[in-house]
Structures are given as structure tokens and as C-alpha cells.
Amino acid sequence: MNWISNYVRPKINSLFSRREMPENLWTKCPECGTMLFHRELSDNLNVCPSCEHHMGISPRDRFTALFDGGIFTEVEVPAPITDPLQFRDQKRYPDRMKAAQKSTGESEAMLVAEGEIGKTPIVAAAQDFSFMGGSMGMYVGNAIIAAAERAVLMKRPLILFSAAGGARMQEGILSLMQMPRTTVAIQMLREAGLPYIVVLTHPTTGGVTASYAMLGDVHIAEPNALICFAGPRVIEQTIREKLPEGFQRAEYLLDHGMLDRVTSRTQMRDELISITRMLLGQPRAISGILEAPAETEEAPVLEAPKEEDAAKEEVPVKKAKPAAKAPAKKPAAKAKPETKK
């Protein structure tokens, strides 16, 4: 009985039991409702292939797609005071930080890195909206200053990807102080003659829009990104009027002169390479790189034989004897004239 219950029954159950499927294999597009396989979605940089809706993407995944070969080096950012105001709402501020760090795997809301795009060295910074709404606190201010100082030191352009709901309320006035600090950092780039390109992603609002997000030399936005200071709902309640369709979206701002380009995420890398090289006064990027020829085994080089060896190896050739000369014919004797007796 033990043999049946311990071996046979588990074997039968394993054959007919239903396998559990992971929950994160499929993602539903919030715009068109299409079910997307996770590999297909990640290969397309979290852009729906059916309706081109741009979903959120982490800074690391963005940098992996941006830099050549996905290779980049993080720039160290000075860590600020953890909880300067001892702030507490429904949770303590340190507890909220720990929860955000656990869910995102990042230490803060901005990542700074350096590397090459199209063989052009740059410094890049990206905000993570999934980390407490990408809110701008003291760390974000330190990160932008560190990125600007690194760009000035290495004489490289700075590309910034913004995504934030504004200043971080848990840090109060200290978060608002990052607006002038980051403005001074951008001025350092301008005085050094280095390009500063801003890519505005969904959403970019509040104090971020009022400071470093709108101070770039070139402003590019992802399609249908919300870019504003106060949201449309607040404006409607204030003026008590219906706002036009697409108000404060990227395409609306492009039509009204607040943006330079609206570019899809799948084409953003090529766009940034072209603009960066143009601002640096460099020639157009090479669209393709030829691979090095495959290594082939070289034929051994034959050395010329030395004179001594050649003399030894020579085969003696017998000289042919000269043919014997035919004996010369004697001239015929002349007939003597007959004499008369």
C-alpha cells in the first residue's frame, strides 16, 4: 500500500496535473486591449506593435537599447540625507523608500550613465516613473549636477530622459530647491559649449517641467506624452471650460511650438545619434559597420634554398660527346695529258 501511495499515485498526478503558468508572460495593451507576449513587447521597447502605444520602460532597459552594444558605465551620484524632515503621512518616508527600492530594484528615481551611441561618447540621465512617480528630490538634483559635471569634464553632450510627477513632497522645500540647482548645472553645459538634449516621456509634469526639462537645446518627446505644469483636470476645474482634444499632449505642443520633434521610441536612438553629431559638428554617422574578415590559415612561406644546399642537391648531368667529323674527301686526281711519241 505504501508503494502505491508513495510512488504510483504521485506519478499519475504529475502526468495529469495542470502546469502553472507564470503571470507575467502576457501584457494587455491599455490603449487597444491587445494581448502581447512579454518577449515581443520587450523586443519592441515596450511599444505596442498594434497601436504604437508607448508603455513605461525602466532606465536600465532604456540605456541598454540606447548605448552601443547595451554597454554603459554608471556615474556615481552623492547620496543625500535619507529623511531630513522626518516626514510621515500614511507611511514613514523611509518605509516608502524601501518599498520603492524593492519593487524597482533601483536605489533612487534617476540613473546616470556614460557610454557611446553610434561611436559618439555621451553622458545620459533617465528618471524612473515607477520609483515614487519619478519625483524630484535631493538625490535627483545631485544626479543632474553629477551628470553635468561629468559631461563638462569629459567634454561630452548630455542627454536627459524626463518622467516625473513633479517635486517630492516628502522633502518639502528641499525638493523645490533642486529647481535652481539644476538650472545652474544646465548653465554649466551652456558655458562649456556642450549640447543638452531633453527627451520628454510620459508623463513630465510639475516642477520638473518648470526647470531642467524645458531648458534643453533640442526638445524631443515620445508620442502622446503628457507634458505640462498643472494637469488638464486642474485647469478645467479652475477655468471651468472644456479643454481642446489632445491638450498638453506631445503632438499638441509640437503644433504650438513648444517641442522640436515627436519621435517614436523605436526610432529614438537613430534620431539622437543624428542630432548629437550635428550639434557637435561631426559628419553623419555610419549606418553600418563592416565585420573584420575571418582569419584564414596562412600558407607556409617557402624559403629559397641556400647555395651550399643547392650545390649538394644538384644532379650531375653527363655532357654529350661531340659527333665525330666525317673524313674530308680527297680531291680527284687530274688526268695527265697524253704525249705523242
Side-chain angles (χ1 to χ4, degrees):
M1 191 68 182
N2 291 335
W3 177 76
I4 295 175
S5 59
N6 294 338
Y7 180 77
V8 177
R9 186 176 296 172
K11 192 72 174 178
I12 295 174
N13 291 337
S14 64
L15 293 175
F16 294 98
S17 62
R18 185 178 180 181
R19 295 182 180 179
E20 296 182 358
M21 297 292 291
E23 297 180 357
N24 58 349
L25 289 180
W26 296 89
T27 302
K28 184 178 180 180
C29 175
E31 189 70 20
C32 65
T34 305
M35 296 300 294
L36 305 171
F37 190 55
H38 70 105
R39 290 182 183 175
E40 179 187 6
L41 187 61
S42 61
D43 291 344
N44 207 37
L45 302 180
N46 285 10
V47 178
C48 177
S50 301
C51 65
E52 295 294 324
H53 175 70
H54 285 55
M55 305 180 195
I57 185 172
S58 66
R60 291 193 182 274
D61 292 340
R62 189 183 291 276
F63 285 170
T64 301
L66 176 68
F67 288 105
D68 294 346
I71 301 172
F72 59 89
T73 305
E74 292 187 39
V75 176
E76 186 177 355
V77 178
I81 302 172
T82 306
D83 188 8
L85 303 180
Q86 302 296 317
F87 191 90
R88 180 186 182 92
D89 50 279
Q90 294 178 349
K91 292 183 180 179
R92 295 173 59 248
Y93 181 35
D95 295 339
R96 288 192 180 276
M97 288 288 294
K98 291 178 182 178
Q101 291 169 355
K102 184 178 180 180
S103 62
T104 61
E106 300 291 343
S107 60
E108 253 289 354
M110 178 166 278
L111 181 66
V112 183
E114 59 181 345
E116 293 184 347
I117 57 169
K119 303 298 181 181
T120 304
I122 66 161
V123 177
Q127 287 181 270
D128 189 359
F129 188 76
S130 60
F131 192 103
M132 297 185 67
S135 52
M136 177 184 62
M138 291 187 294
Y139 183 92
V140 173
N142 290 349
I144 295 175
I145 293 173
E149 289 177 346
R150 185 66 178 175
V152 172
L153 178 64
M154 303 300 293
K155 299 187 183 304
R156 297 179 176 182
L158 175 61
I159 300 176
L160 186 139
F161 298 85
S162 64
R168 186 171 295 178
M169 69 173 188
Q170 287 86 353
E171 296 183 11
I173 189 63
L174 298 176
S175 64
L176 296 177
M177 289 175 60
Q178 309 312 310
M179 297 172 65
R181 290 185 72 210
T182 54
T183 303
V184 173
I186 303 308
Q187 186 63 28
M188 292 167 48
L189 292 169
R190 195 155 296 171
E191 293 175 356
L194 296 171
Y196 173 50
I197 303 172
V198 181
V199 180
L200 300 114
T201 67
H202 177 77
T204 300
T205 62
V208 173
T209 307
S211 57
Y212 57 86
M214 300 304 293
L215 295 176
D217 299 312
V218 178
H219 292 94
I220 309 172
E222 292 184 345
N224 203 35
L226 177 65
I227 304 164
C228 60
F229 179 74
R233 179 174 55 85
V234 176
I235 297 175
E236 282 186 348
Q237 292 176 355
T238 304
I239 65 176
R240 297 180 180 180
E241 291 184 7
K242 185 68 176 177
L243 298 175
E245 186 178 356
F247 183 71
Q248 294 181 326
R249 295 289 174 170
E251 292 77 10
Y252 183 91
L253 298 179
L254 177 65
D255 295 338
H256 290 76
M258 287 191 65
L259 297 177
D260 299 301
R261 305 279 290 178
V262 174
T263 306
S264 174
R265 188 181 298 164
T266 55
Q267 302 172 358
M268 187 68 70
R269 171 182 155 84
D270 296 335
E271 187 90 358
L272 291 173
I273 291 173
S274 301
I275 294 175
T276 302
R277 296 182 71 89
M278 179 184 65
L279 294 177
L280 292 174
Q282 298 178 356
R284 296 181 62 182
I286 301 173
S287 58
I289 300 176
L290 296 177
E291 297 181 358
E295 295 183 1
T296 56
E297 296 182 1
E298 297 182 357
V301 180
L302 299 177
E303 296 181 357
K306 298 180 180 179
E307 294 181 359
E308 297 178 358
D309 298 339
K312 292 179 182 179
E313 292 180 0
E314 278 185 0
V315 180
V317 181
K318 294 182 180 180
K319 294 183 180 180
K321 295 181 179 180
K325 294 182 180 180
K329 294 181 179 181
K330 294 182 179 181
K334 295 182 179 181
K336 294 181 180 182
E338 292 182 0
T339 56
K340 295 181 180 181
K341 291 181 181 183

